[in-house]
Amino acid sequence: MNAFVFLRLIFIVLAVVGFSLSLPIGVALYSGEDSVVSAFLCPMLASIVIGIVFLLLGRKSSVRFSIRSVFLFVASAWISISLFGAVPLFLSGAIPSFLDAFFESCSGFTTTGATILGEIEGLPRSVNVWRCEMHWLGGMGIIALTVALLPLLGVGGFNLIKAESTGPEKGKITPKMANTAEMLWALYGGLTLLHAVALRICGLDWIDSFSYAFSTLGTGGFATMNSSVGSYGSVAIEMVCFVFMFLAGINFSLYYYLLTGKFSEIRKNTELKAYILVFFGSILLSALFLLPHYSNFFTALRYSSFQVASIMTSTGYMTADYLQWPSAAQFLIFMLFFIGGCAGSTAGGVKVIRICVLFRHAKNEMMRMLHPHGVYSVRLNGSSGKNDLVFNVGSFVFVYACLVFLTTFVGTVGGLDLFTAFTASLSMVGNVGPAFGELGPTANYGFLPSALKFWYCFVMIAGRLELYNLLIFFLPDYWKK
């Protein structure tokens, strides 16, 4: 792929993101925030004009992606998007440092939700809308959106979306990848609209309703209030967010099967069963551990259910400071940092399906010790023959652990204590947001040294792209012809 074609595709992706700035511009005009309109309008117009020029200039050129160019394009696109998203935050004056704005933008698009801001309520509403909208755009995938909107680009959409999506197995739910992207984004948009309407019924205005809907369905966690969802003190708002966090942590392909009547695909889905078991089992256990901390079981259940949903789906909302909870309850939260949601969802973490594969493989190994001549295979979704996945998953978890430990080391060099550095690394690689210690749910990342923020930006993007798609550039073989 030549340089012109590469730049053409990058600028088209940026134009798609730039067009989304029309929403915060509308909010700024509606809210009387005239001083920040230009901060959104200038990058929007620049990206759209440049994108259209490149689109027209290269309309007759064919696009052929090699394996190397797929990785390079997806990584470059996500870095470019994060840099672009930082421009309005910087130009508006909301974040005076461009590095901090870049951190906030990386955290937004990767749906991590870690913020450098200590004061959120004082920001222009349009800026908060943009922060939350970045979650929504990054949750389902910017490249998937571009492929859905512009299938005539002539790009091999499957390889691009496969490089951007999550999980050990990636396929199509419709024959054409562009149609698959369209369907997933339609489902995603429909759930977002339902969530916004439900929040409006609960008493939020439309701007906040859509802001939280963007954050929730993108499992990001940016909020419009300093104390997140807990600022409202509303059980109804918490329960609505709880339901949609749970839904956002499920593989979106299953919603397509639900709408098309393929209920057998849902019933036999191994990952969904495990997700439900871990999700609600953790809620019940943490509620029991919280009984001495709260006045009654229902109060404990209220806070445990919300925080379990928030951490397992990597959303990162807060209604309670879990650092004040009993150690057993904190341990459950800590474990959920690692597990995450389902593959094909907007949630982060290792993903439930990988935990299932490793668990079943470990069981098979013990069965072989008992019955050396037995034949065992990993069964998923009612079928066997998934042993090849074990190598894929084992390698991924190893690389995941290595990056966590390396990031922990970098955090300690940056001045964090060991436990804070370790949980922050789990949070950054898993795109969760809050951590423990100095970076707990009531803290922010603003005090960190610049070098550590920059490293966390790299790690957040690596985590969103499932590690290999960014780390592969460090292999000498990648650069050999």
Side-chain angles (χ1 to χ4, degrees):
M1 186 170 57
N2 62 47
F4 172 78
V5 173
F6 181 85
L7 289 175
R8 176 176 179 258
L9 295 175
I10 291 291
F11 281 117
I12 289 172
V13 171
L14 290 178
V16 171
V17 178
F19 182 78
S20 68
L21 288 171
S22 56
L23 179 59
I25 288 173
V27 172
L29 293 172
Y30 174 79
S31 304
E33 299 167 352
D34 298 339
S35 61
V36 300
V37 170
S38 61
F40 295 104
L41 187 61
C42 291
M44 174 186 173
L45 292 178
S47 63
I48 291 176
V49 170
I50 295 172
I52 290 175
V53 170
F54 272 89
L55 179 63
L56 295 177
L57 286 177
R59 63 185 182 276
K60 293 183 180 180
S61 61
S62 60
V63 181
R64 293 293 182 268
F65 276 98
S66 66
I67 294 175
R68 284 178 170 85
S69 59
V70 166
F71 294 129
L72 182 61
F73 172 73
V74 171
S76 299
W78 272 83
I79 293 170
S80 301
I81 290 162
S82 298
L83 287 168
F84 179 83
V87 174
L89 299 176
F90 177 70
L91 293 180
S92 66
I95 303 179
S97 163
F98 189 80
L99 175 58
D100 283 350
F102 179 56
F103 182 95
E104 197 81 3
S105 179
C106 283
S107 183
F109 281 117
T110 61
T111 73
T112 305
T115 182
I116 52 89
L117 295 166
E119 174 57 44
I120 296 172
E121 294 171 28
L123 294 176
R125 299 194 78 184
S126 54
V127 171
N128 273 328
V129 167
W130 175 234
R131 291 171 68 243
C132 297
E133 189 181 8
M134 285 190 287
H135 282 329
W136 191 74
L137 292 168
M140 189 57 67
I142 303 291
I143 294 171
L145 177 60
T146 305
V147 171
L149 293 176
L150 300 169
L152 299 180
L153 286 175
V155 177
F158 177 67
N159 287 329
L160 291 180
I161 295 177
K162 190 170 82 167
E164 183 186 50
S165 58
T166 62
E169 290 187 300
K170 301 160 186 179
K172 307 175 185 179
I173 56 174
T174 60
K176 293 184 177 180
M177 199 64 209
N179 293 338
T180 295
E182 290 170 5
M183 180 62 67
L184 291 175
W185 268 95
L187 291 167
Y188 189 49
L191 285 173
T192 304
L193 180 60
L194 283 175
H195 187 22
V197 170
L199 289 174
R200 181 71 184 93
I201 293 171
C202 291
L204 298 185
D205 63 22
W206 282 115
I207 294 176
D208 279 351
S209 294
F210 272 99
S211 295
Y212 281 103
F214 289 153
S215 280
T216 304
L217 267 299
T219 62
F222 280 160
T224 62
M225 304 291 283
N226 290 336
S227 298
S228 189
V229 177
S231 297
Y232 300 101
S234 168
V235 176
I237 292 173
E238 291 171 20
M239 288 302 101
V240 167
C241 289
F242 166 81
V243 169
F244 282 92
M245 282 191 288
F246 170 74
L247 295 176
I250 294 174
N251 190 328
F252 275 77
S253 299
L254 297 183
Y255 296 122
Y256 173 78
Y257 296 138
L258 179 65
L259 292 177
T260 53
K262 298 179 180 178
F263 303 118
S264 62
E265 295 290 336
I266 301 172
R267 283 195 300 268
K268 69 183 183 181
N269 190 271
T270 302
E271 185 180 34
L272 178 62
K273 296 173 185 176
Y275 173 70
I276 292 172
L277 178 64
V278 174
F279 189 92
F280 289 101
S282 298
I283 288 174
L284 181 59
L285 269 178
S286 60
L288 293 173
F289 293 143
L290 288 174
L291 269 177
H293 190 75
Y294 291 107
S295 56
N296 56 66
F297 178 75
F298 292 103
T299 303
L301 186 63
R302 169 188 173 183
Y303 290 108
S304 70
S305 59
F306 191 91
Q307 290 308 138
V308 164
S310 179
I311 298 301
M312 185 169 180
T313 62
S314 77
T315 306
Y317 283 150
M318 180 189 70
T319 56
D321 184 358
Y322 52 74
L323 296 185
Q324 306 302 317
W325 286 1
S327 297
Q330 289 190 45
F331 176 78
L332 284 175
I333 294 294
F334 174 77
M335 289 300 297
L336 297 177
F337 270 67
F338 180 77
I339 296 173
C342 298
S345 71
T346 59
V350 169
K351 303 293 186 301
V352 174
I353 186 63
R354 292 190 174 100
I355 304 299
C356 290
V357 170
L358 292 178
F359 176 82
R360 296 197 172 191
H361 179 65
K363 179 183 175 182
N364 286 346
E365 289 302 305
M366 287 186 281
M367 291 298 292
R368 285 191 183 94
M369 293 175 69
L370 289 173
H371 308 286
H373 301 293
V375 178
Y376 304 97
S377 65
V378 175
R379 291 181 60 85
L380 294 174
N381 304 333
S383 61
S384 58
K386 298 291 183 178
N387 287 338
D388 56 323
L389 269 182
V390 175
F391 301 104
N392 179 305
V393 170
S395 299
F396 177 87
V397 173
F398 173 76
V399 174
Y400 194 97
C402 287
L403 187 57
V404 166
F405 289 131
L406 176 59
T407 304
T408 301
F409 172 71
V410 174
T412 57
V413 172
L416 297 176
D417 65 83
L418 180 59
F419 187 58
T420 299
F422 179 61
T423 56
S425 66
L426 282 174
S427 183
M428 294 294 102
V429 178
N431 301 131
V432 179
F436 283 73
E438 297 176 68
L439 296 172
T442 61
N444 65 74
Y445 288 70
F447 69 92
L448 298 178
S450 297
L452 184 54
K453 289 177 185 174
F454 185 80
W455 176 260
Y456 281 168
C457 288
F458 167 78
V459 171
M460 285 189 283
I461 296 175
R464 174 59 183 83
L465 297 180
E466 297 255 281
L467 308 186
Y468 293 138
N469 296 319
L470 204 59
L471 299 182
I472 196 171
F473 299 112
F474 295 93
L475 289 178
D477 284 353
Y478 177 85
W479 304 103
K480 293 179 182 177
K481 292 184 179 181

PDB file of all heavy atoms in Angstrom, residues 157-185:
ATOM      1  N   GLY A 157     -12.709  -4.860   4.357  1.00  0.00           N
ATOM      2  CA  GLY A 157     -13.218  -4.500   5.677  1.00  0.00           C
ATOM      3  C   GLY A 157     -13.037  -5.562   6.732  1.00  0.00           C
ATOM      4  O   GLY A 157     -12.845  -5.250   7.903  1.00  0.00           O
ATOM      5  N   PHE A 158     -13.068  -6.830   6.337  1.00  0.00           N
ATOM      6  CA  PHE A 158     -13.001  -7.886   7.343  1.00  0.00           C
ATOM      7  C   PHE A 158     -11.688  -7.861   8.099  1.00  0.00           C
ATOM      8  O   PHE A 158     -11.655  -7.934   9.324  1.00  0.00           O
ATOM      9  CB  PHE A 158     -13.204  -9.253   6.684  1.00  0.00           C
ATOM     10  CG  PHE A 158     -13.077 -10.390   7.650  1.00  0.00           C
ATOM     11  CD1 PHE A 158     -14.001 -10.568   8.669  1.00  0.00           C
ATOM     12  CD2 PHE A 158     -12.024 -11.279   7.558  1.00  0.00           C
ATOM     13  CE1 PHE A 158     -13.875 -11.607   9.579  1.00  0.00           C
ATOM     14  CE2 PHE A 158     -11.897 -12.318   8.457  1.00  0.00           C
ATOM     15  CZ  PHE A 158     -12.828 -12.483   9.460  1.00  0.00           C
ATOM     16  N   ASN A 159     -10.579  -7.756   7.375  1.00  0.00           N
ATOM     17  CA  ASN A 159      -9.272  -7.757   8.035  1.00  0.00           C
ATOM     18  C   ASN A 159      -9.089  -6.538   8.929  1.00  0.00           C
ATOM     19  O   ASN A 159      -8.472  -6.622   9.994  1.00  0.00           O
ATOM     20  CB  ASN A 159      -8.152  -7.816   6.994  1.00  0.00           C
ATOM     21  CG  ASN A 159      -8.034  -9.177   6.346  1.00  0.00           C
ATOM     22  OD1 ASN A 159      -8.332 -10.190   6.977  1.00  0.00           O
ATOM     23  ND2 ASN A 159      -7.635  -9.226   5.092  1.00  0.00           N
ATOM     24  N   LEU A 160      -9.610  -5.388   8.504  1.00  0.00           N
ATOM     25  CA  LEU A 160      -9.485  -4.176   9.310  1.00  0.00           C
ATOM     26  C   LEU A 160     -10.286  -4.297  10.600  1.00  0.00           C
ATOM     27  O   LEU A 160      -9.807  -3.997  11.690  1.00  0.00           O
ATOM     28  CB  LEU A 160      -9.962  -2.956   8.511  1.00  0.00           C
ATOM     29  CG  LEU A 160      -9.099  -2.527   7.333  1.00  0.00           C
ATOM     30  CD1 LEU A 160      -9.709  -1.313   6.655  1.00  0.00           C
ATOM     31  CD2 LEU A 160      -7.679  -2.219   7.780  1.00  0.00           C
ATOM     32  N   ILE A 161     -11.534  -4.719  10.468  1.00  0.00           N
ATOM     33  CA  ILE A 161     -12.390  -4.834  11.653  1.00  0.00           C
ATOM     34  C   ILE A 161     -11.889  -5.947  12.563  1.00  0.00           C
ATOM     35  O   ILE A 161     -11.952  -5.842  13.790  1.00  0.00           O
ATOM     36  CB  ILE A 161     -13.856  -5.071  11.233  1.00  0.00           C
ATOM     37  CG1 ILE A 161     -14.390  -3.841  10.495  1.00  0.00           C
ATOM     38  CG2 ILE A 161     -14.725  -5.363  12.450  1.00  0.00           C
ATOM     39  CD1 ILE A 161     -15.791  -3.985   9.976  1.00  0.00           C
ATOM     40  N   LYS A 162     -11.367  -7.014  11.970  1.00  0.00           N
ATOM     41  CA  LYS A 162     -10.814  -8.111  12.784  1.00  0.00           C
ATOM     42  C   LYS A 162      -9.638  -7.614  13.620  1.00  0.00           C
ATOM     43  O   LYS A 162      -9.473  -8.005  14.779  1.00  0.00           O
ATOM     44  CB  LYS A 162     -10.375  -9.263  11.881  1.00  0.00           C
ATOM     45  CG  LYS A 162     -10.018 -10.530  12.645  1.00  0.00           C
ATOM     46  CD  LYS A 162      -9.829 -11.699  11.711  1.00  0.00           C
ATOM     47  CE  LYS A 162      -8.455 -11.699  11.107  1.00  0.00           C
ATOM     48  NZ  LYS A 162      -8.126 -12.973  10.423  1.00  0.00           N
ATOM     49  N   ALA A 163      -8.824  -6.731  13.053  1.00  0.00           N
ATOM     50  CA  ALA A 163      -7.680  -6.193  13.791  1.00  0.00           C
ATOM     51  C   ALA A 163      -8.104  -5.238  14.894  1.00  0.00           C
ATOM     52  O   ALA A 163      -7.365  -5.036  15.854  1.00  0.00           O
ATOM     53  CB  ALA A 163      -6.743  -5.474  12.824  1.00  0.00           C
ATOM     54  N   GLU A 164      -9.313  -4.669  14.771  1.00  0.00           N
ATOM     55  CA  GLU A 164      -9.776  -3.704  15.756  1.00  0.00           C
ATOM     56  C   GLU A 164     -10.658  -4.329  16.826  1.00  0.00           C
ATOM     57  O   GLU A 164     -10.756  -3.828  17.943  1.00  0.00           O
ATOM     58  CB  GLU A 164     -10.566  -2.596  15.037  1.00  0.00           C
ATOM     59  CG  GLU A 164     -11.038  -1.477  15.945  1.00  0.00           C
ATOM     60  CD  GLU A 164     -11.924  -0.494  15.200  1.00  0.00           C
ATOM     61  OE1 GLU A 164     -12.879  -0.923  14.528  1.00  0.00           O
ATOM     62  OE2 GLU A 164     -11.685   0.719  15.312  1.00  0.00           O
ATOM     63  N   SER A 165     -11.319  -5.444  16.507  1.00  0.00           N
ATOM     64  CA  SER A 165     -12.296  -6.038  17.409  1.00  0.00           C
ATOM     65  C   SER A 165     -11.618  -6.881  18.481  1.00  0.00           C
ATOM     66  O   SER A 165     -10.418  -7.138  18.435  1.00  0.00           O
ATOM     67  CB  SER A 165     -13.303  -6.889  16.621  1.00  0.00           C
ATOM     68  OG  SER A 165     -12.634  -7.898  15.908  1.00  0.00           O
ATOM     69  N   THR A 166     -12.424  -7.330  19.435  1.00  0.00           N
ATOM     70  CA  THR A 166     -11.882  -8.030  20.596  1.00  0.00           C
ATOM     71  C   THR A 166     -12.288  -9.493  20.603  1.00  0.00           C
ATOM     72  O   THR A 166     -13.312  -9.873  20.049  1.00  0.00           O
ATOM     73  CB  THR A 166     -12.370  -7.379  21.897  1.00  0.00           C
ATOM     74  OG1 THR A 166     -13.806  -7.471  21.962  1.00  0.00           O
ATOM     75  CG2 THR A 166     -11.976  -5.913  21.945  1.00  0.00           C
ATOM     76  N   GLY A 167     -11.470 -10.312  21.279  1.00  0.00           N
ATOM     77  CA  GLY A 167     -11.785 -11.719  21.454  1.00  0.00           C
ATOM     78  C   GLY A 167     -10.887 -12.623  20.631  1.00  0.00           C
ATOM     79  O   GLY A 167     -10.296 -12.205  19.638  1.00  0.00           O
ATOM     80  N   PRO A 168     -10.769 -13.896  21.028  1.00  0.00           N
ATOM     81  CA  PRO A 168      -9.891 -14.840  20.322  1.00  0.00           C
ATOM     82  C   PRO A 168     -10.457 -15.326  19.003  1.00  0.00           C
ATOM     83  O   PRO A 168      -9.727 -15.756  18.130  1.00  0.00           O
ATOM     84  CB  PRO A 168      -9.737 -15.993  21.317  1.00  0.00           C
ATOM     85  CG  PRO A 168     -10.987 -15.953  22.131  1.00  0.00           C
ATOM     86  CD  PRO A 168     -11.362 -14.497  22.233  1.00  0.00           C
ATOM     87  N   GLU A 169     -11.800 -15.285  18.834  1.00  0.00           N
ATOM     88  CA  GLU A 169     -12.441 -15.710  17.590  1.00  0.00           C
ATOM     89  C   GLU A 169     -13.226 -14.538  17.020  1.00  0.00           C
ATOM     90  O   GLU A 169     -14.050 -13.934  17.705  1.00  0.00           O
ATOM     91  CB  GLU A 169     -13.390 -16.890  17.836  1.00  0.00           C
ATOM     92  CG  GLU A 169     -12.685 -18.183  18.174  1.00  0.00           C
ATOM     93  CD  GLU A 169     -13.644 -19.347  18.243  1.00  0.00           C
ATOM     94  OE1 GLU A 169     -14.568 -19.290  19.072  1.00  0.00           O
ATOM     95  OE2 GLU A 169     -13.476 -20.298  17.473  1.00  0.00           O
ATOM     96  N   LYS A 170     -12.986 -14.227  15.738  1.00  0.00           N
ATOM     97  CA  LYS A 170     -13.631 -13.077  15.118  1.00  0.00           C
ATOM     98  C   LYS A 170     -14.226 -13.506  13.787  1.00  0.00           C
ATOM     99  O   LYS A 170     -13.542 -14.050  12.934  1.00  0.00           O
ATOM    100  CB  LYS A 170     -12.615 -11.953  14.907  1.00  0.00           C
ATOM    101  CG  LYS A 170     -11.980 -11.492  16.228  1.00  0.00           C
ATOM    102  CD  LYS A 170     -10.691 -10.764  16.030  1.00  0.00           C
ATOM    103  CE  LYS A 170     -10.041 -10.467  17.372  1.00  0.00           C
ATOM    104  NZ  LYS A 170      -8.753  -9.774  17.247  1.00  0.00           N
ATOM    105  N   GLY A 171     -15.511 -13.266  13.634  1.00  0.00           N
ATOM    106  CA  GLY A 171     -16.176 -13.666  12.398  1.00  0.00           C
ATOM    107  C   GLY A 171     -17.255 -12.696  12.008  1.00  0.00           C
ATOM    108  O   GLY A 171     -17.392 -11.612  12.566  1.00  0.00           O
ATOM    109  N   LYS A 172     -18.031 -13.096  11.006  1.00  0.00           N
ATOM    110  CA  LYS A 172     -19.101 -12.245  10.500  1.00  0.00           C
ATOM    111  C   LYS A 172     -20.446 -12.795  10.952  1.00  0.00           C
ATOM    112  O   LYS A 172     -20.635 -14.000  11.080  1.00  0.00           O
ATOM    113  CB  LYS A 172     -19.064 -12.211   8.970  1.00  0.00           C
ATOM    114  CG  LYS A 172     -17.721 -11.841   8.364  1.00  0.00           C
ATOM    115  CD  LYS A 172     -17.776 -11.970   6.847  1.00  0.00           C
ATOM    116  CE  LYS A 172     -16.418 -11.718   6.212  1.00  0.00           C
ATOM    117  NZ  LYS A 172     -16.454 -11.862   4.736  1.00  0.00           N
ATOM    118  N   ILE A 173     -21.418 -11.895  11.155  1.00  0.00           N
ATOM    119  CA  ILE A 173     -22.778 -12.348  11.440  1.00  0.00           C
ATOM    120  C   ILE A 173     -23.661 -12.205  10.207  1.00  0.00           C
ATOM    121  O   ILE A 173     -24.787 -12.688  10.177  1.00  0.00           O
ATOM    122  CB  ILE A 173     -23.405 -11.583  12.632  1.00  0.00           C
ATOM    123  CG1 ILE A 173     -23.388 -10.074  12.370  1.00  0.00           C
ATOM    124  CG2 ILE A 173     -22.687 -11.914  13.917  1.00  0.00           C
ATOM    125  CD1 ILE A 173     -24.119  -9.278  13.448  1.00  0.00           C
ATOM    126  N   THR A 174     -23.143 -11.517   9.186  1.00  0.00           N
ATOM    127  CA  THR A 174     -23.800 -11.433   7.875  1.00  0.00           C
ATOM    128  C   THR A 174     -22.729 -11.733   6.828  1.00  0.00           C
ATOM    129  O   THR A 174     -21.539 -11.619   7.093  1.00  0.00           O
ATOM    130  CB  THR A 174     -24.401 -10.031   7.638  1.00  0.00           C
ATOM    131  OG1 THR A 174     -23.350  -9.060   7.688  1.00  0.00           O
ATOM    132  CG2 THR A 174     -25.452  -9.694   8.685  1.00  0.00           C
ATOM    133  N   PRO A 175     -23.137 -12.105   5.589  1.00  0.00           N
ATOM    134  CA  PRO A 175     -22.133 -12.483   4.585  1.00  0.00           C
ATOM    135  C   PRO A 175     -21.106 -11.398   4.274  1.00  0.00           C
ATOM    136  O   PRO A 175     -19.944 -11.702   4.029  1.00  0.00           O
ATOM    137  CB  PRO A 175     -22.992 -12.797   3.359  1.00  0.00           C
ATOM    138  CG  PRO A 175     -24.322 -13.184   3.912  1.00  0.00           C
ATOM    139  CD  PRO A 175     -24.500 -12.340   5.133  1.00  0.00           C
ATOM    140  N   LYS A 176     -21.527 -10.138   4.243  1.00  0.00           N
ATOM    141  CA  LYS A 176     -20.613  -9.049   3.943  1.00  0.00           C
ATOM    142  C   LYS A 176     -20.216  -8.312   5.213  1.00  0.00           C
ATOM    143  O   LYS A 176     -21.058  -8.009   6.050  1.00  0.00           O
ATOM    144  CB  LYS A 176     -21.253  -8.060   2.961  1.00  0.00           C
ATOM    145  CG  LYS A 176     -21.486  -8.643   1.574  1.00  0.00           C
ATOM    146  CD  LYS A 176     -22.027  -7.590   0.627  1.00  0.00           C
ATOM    147  CE  LYS A 176     -22.199  -8.159  -0.779  1.00  0.00           C
ATOM    148  NZ  LYS A 176     -22.731  -7.139  -1.714  1.00  0.00           N
ATOM    149  N   MET A 177     -18.913  -7.991   5.333  1.00  0.00           N
ATOM    150  CA  MET A 177     -18.422  -7.353   6.547  1.00  0.00           C
ATOM    151  C   MET A 177     -19.013  -5.968   6.738  1.00  0.00           C
ATOM    152  O   MET A 177     -19.265  -5.536   7.856  1.00  0.00           O
ATOM    153  CB  MET A 177     -16.894  -7.271   6.505  1.00  0.00           C
ATOM    154  CG  MET A 177     -16.279  -7.068   7.885  1.00  0.00           C
ATOM    155  SD  MET A 177     -16.614  -8.476   8.961  1.00  0.00           S
ATOM    156  CE  MET A 177     -16.629  -7.699  10.573  1.00  0.00           C
ATOM    157  N   ALA A 178     -19.244  -5.234   5.638  1.00  0.00           N
ATOM    158  CA  ALA A 178     -19.849  -3.911   5.754  1.00  0.00           C
ATOM    159  C   ALA A 178     -21.249  -4.012   6.354  1.00  0.00           C
ATOM    160  O   ALA A 178     -21.645  -3.193   7.196  1.00  0.00           O
ATOM    161  CB  ALA A 178     -19.911  -3.230   4.385  1.00  0.00           C
ATOM    162  N   ASN A 179     -21.991  -5.040   5.944  1.00  0.00           N
ATOM    163  CA  ASN A 179     -23.333  -5.239   6.504  1.00  0.00           C
ATOM    164  C   ASN A 179     -23.269  -5.631   7.977  1.00  0.00           C
ATOM    165  O   ASN A 179     -24.127  -5.243   8.779  1.00  0.00           O
ATOM    166  CB  ASN A 179     -24.086  -6.317   5.719  1.00  0.00           C
ATOM    167  CG  ASN A 179     -24.390  -5.889   4.303  1.00  0.00           C
ATOM    168  OD1 ASN A 179     -24.421  -4.697   4.006  1.00  0.00           O
ATOM    169  ND2 ASN A 179     -24.607  -6.841   3.418  1.00  0.00           N
ATOM    170  N   THR A 180     -22.251  -6.427   8.329  1.00  0.00           N
ATOM    171  CA  THR A 180     -22.055  -6.784   9.738  1.00  0.00           C
ATOM    172  C   THR A 180     -21.791  -5.537  10.566  1.00  0.00           C
ATOM    173  O   THR A 180     -22.365  -5.353  11.643  1.00  0.00           O
ATOM    174  CB  THR A 180     -20.872  -7.758   9.879  1.00  0.00           C
ATOM    175  OG1 THR A 180     -21.196  -8.984   9.222  1.00  0.00           O
ATOM    176  CG2 THR A 180     -20.567  -8.045  11.344  1.00  0.00           C
ATOM    177  N   ALA A 181     -20.909  -4.661  10.075  1.00  0.00           N
ATOM    178  CA  ALA A 181     -20.600  -3.415  10.784  1.00  0.00           C
ATOM    179  C   ALA A 181     -21.842  -2.547  10.916  1.00  0.00           C
ATOM    180  O   ALA A 181     -22.105  -1.958  11.974  1.00  0.00           O
ATOM    181  CB  ALA A 181     -19.488  -2.668  10.049  1.00  0.00           C
ATOM    182  N   GLU A 182     -22.623  -2.454   9.854  1.00  0.00           N
ATOM    183  CA  GLU A 182     -23.855  -1.658   9.895  1.00  0.00           C
ATOM    184  C   GLU A 182     -24.823  -2.209  10.936  1.00  0.00           C
ATOM    185  O   GLU A 182     -25.436  -1.456  11.706  1.00  0.00           O
ATOM    186  CB  GLU A 182     -24.513  -1.655   8.518  1.00  0.00           C
ATOM    187  CG  GLU A 182     -23.752  -0.857   7.466  1.00  0.00           C
ATOM    188  CD  GLU A 182     -24.314  -1.084   6.072  1.00  0.00           C
ATOM    189  OE1 GLU A 182     -25.348  -1.789   5.957  1.00  0.00           O
ATOM    190  OE2 GLU A 182     -23.719  -0.583   5.108  1.00  0.00           O
ATOM    191  N   MET A 183     -24.969  -3.532  10.946  1.00  0.00           N
ATOM    192  CA  MET A 183     -25.894  -4.156  11.890  1.00  0.00           C
ATOM    193  C   MET A 183     -25.452  -3.934  13.329  1.00  0.00           C
ATOM    194  O   MET A 183     -26.262  -3.596  14.204  1.00  0.00           O
ATOM    195  CB  MET A 183     -26.003  -5.662  11.592  1.00  0.00           C
ATOM    196  CG  MET A 183     -26.956  -6.410  12.517  1.00  0.00           C
ATOM    197  SD  MET A 183     -28.665  -5.825  12.387  1.00  0.00           S
ATOM    198  CE  MET A 183     -29.056  -6.343  10.708  1.00  0.00           C
ATOM    199  N   LEU A 184     -24.163  -4.125  13.612  1.00  0.00           N
ATOM    200  CA  LEU A 184     -23.655  -3.934  14.973  1.00  0.00           C
ATOM    201  C   LEU A 184     -23.821  -2.496  15.428  1.00  0.00           C
ATOM    202  O   LEU A 184     -24.218  -2.233  16.570  1.00  0.00           O
ATOM    203  CB  LEU A 184     -22.188  -4.352  15.041  1.00  0.00           C
ATOM    204  CG  LEU A 184     -21.897  -5.847  14.887  1.00  0.00           C
ATOM    205  CD1 LEU A 184     -20.397  -6.110  14.848  1.00  0.00           C
ATOM    206  CD2 LEU A 184     -22.547  -6.655  16.010  1.00  0.00           C
ATOM    207  N   TRP A 185     -23.532  -1.545  14.540  1.00  0.00           N
ATOM    208  CA  TRP A 185     -23.694  -0.141  14.908  1.00  0.00           C
ATOM    209  C   TRP A 185     -25.161   0.236  15.076  1.00  0.00           C
ATOM    210  O   TRP A 185     -25.507   1.077  15.910  1.00  0.00           O
ATOM    211  CB  TRP A 185     -23.007   0.763  13.874  1.00  0.00           C
ATOM    212  CG  TRP A 185     -21.608   1.070  14.252  1.00  0.00           C
ATOM    213  CD1 TRP A 185     -20.476   0.433  13.850  1.00  0.00           C
ATOM    214  CD2 TRP A 185     -21.171   2.096  15.165  1.00  0.00           C
ATOM    215  NE1 TRP A 185     -19.364   0.984  14.442  1.00  0.00           N
ATOM    216  CE2 TRP A 185     -19.757   2.007  15.239  1.00  0.00           C
ATOM    217  CE3 TRP A 185     -21.825   3.077  15.898  1.00  0.00           C
ATOM    218  CZ2 TRP A 185     -18.992   2.865  16.037  1.00  0.00           C
ATOM    219  CZ3 TRP A 185     -21.063   3.935  16.689  1.00  0.00           C
ATOM    220  CH2 TRP A 185     -19.679   3.826  16.751  1.00  0.00           C
TER     221      TRP A 185
END
